[in-house]
Amino acid sequence: MKIRLALLNEAPMIKALVHETIKHIYPHYYPEGAVDFFLAYHSIKTIEKDIELEQVFVIEEAAILGTVTLKGIEICRLFVAPDCQGQGHGRALLDFSERMISKNSDAIRLDASLPSKRIYLNRGYHEVASHCLAAKDGDFLCYDVMEKTIALHD
């Protein structure tokens, strides 16, 4: 497994991976309006902008298997393709993200979706805030802001 900066021409592949994962997993946790919100939020323009800012990383073997976006002390858009989950790719992306952030900060922050919250709790993150946003058709999207304190590394 190799983790590297994403290239701008990979934005469509990253969007497809993120959208495929959302469509496969999120309907088990969220109503349709919330799923649609997530899909719109992770647009090609947003992904391209983050790639241009050198904030997007991918994990690959023969193909891109997952992605994560790092914005300062925040871990964002961590997704692993549905058929690649449970094989250590998400753990590798999270380990990588924590190492990268620990070079400049002793705190990490992220927004945890309902499907991922337990993973973060098991990694030592704790909830600092909860939010519910109105989505279409009276649906709501609920998520938690989580933090973790870590040791600084060079």
Side-chain angles (χ1 to χ4, degrees):
M1 285 186 287
K2 176 182 174 185
I3 299 175
R4 62 167 177 79
L5 273 169
L7 304 172
L8 190 56
N9 67 346
E10 295 171 323
M13 289 176 277
I14 294 167
K15 177 188 173 264
L17 182 147
V18 169
H19 281 224
E20 175 191 6
T21 307
I22 289 169
K23 290 174 185 176
H24 183 78
I25 301 210
Y26 283 34
H28 298 288
Y29 296 86
Y30 291 107
E32 183 181 347
V35 173
D36 290 345
F37 179 96
F38 279 115
L39 293 170
Y41 182 77
H42 295 291
S43 69
I44 190 75
K45 287 186 182 212
T46 302
I47 293 168
E48 287 173 341
K49 177 184 164 214
D50 291 341
I51 290 173
E52 288 172 348
L53 294 171
E54 297 187 340
Q55 298 174 326
V56 180
F57 297 84
V58 295
I59 188 167
E60 66 179 355
E61 286 178 349
I64 294 174
L65 308 175
T67 186
V68 67
T69 300
L70 303 179
K71 296 181 178 187
I73 68 166
E74 190 173 0
I75 298 172
C76 309
R77 200 185 301 116
L78 196 160
F79 287 92
V80 173
D83 59 340
C84 298
Q85 294 182 5
Q87 300 172 22
H89 305 300
R91 184 181 321 108
L93 284 168
L94 195 51
D95 289 344
F96 170 83
S97 300
E98 290 177 351
R99 278 193 311 275
M100 292 293 286
I101 292 171
S102 73
K103 292 177 182 180
N104 300 307
S105 177
D106 64 351
I108 299 174
R109 181 174 276 226
L110 54 83
D111 292 344
S113 63
L114 294 176
S116 65
K117 183 175 179 179
R118 183 174 24 162
I119 294 166
Y120 297 124
L121 288 171
N122 290 339
R123 296 266 313 205
Y125 288 81
H126 63 278
E127 183 182 322
V128 295
S130 290
H131 300 283
C132 280
L133 305 175
K136 73 174 191 180
D137 299 329
D139 290 340
F140 287 90
L141 179 156
C142 300
Y143 67 95
D144 296 312
V145 178
M146 302 186 81
E147 287 185 353
K148 178 179 180 177
T149 303
I150 55 173
L152 285 170
H153 291 93
D154 293 327

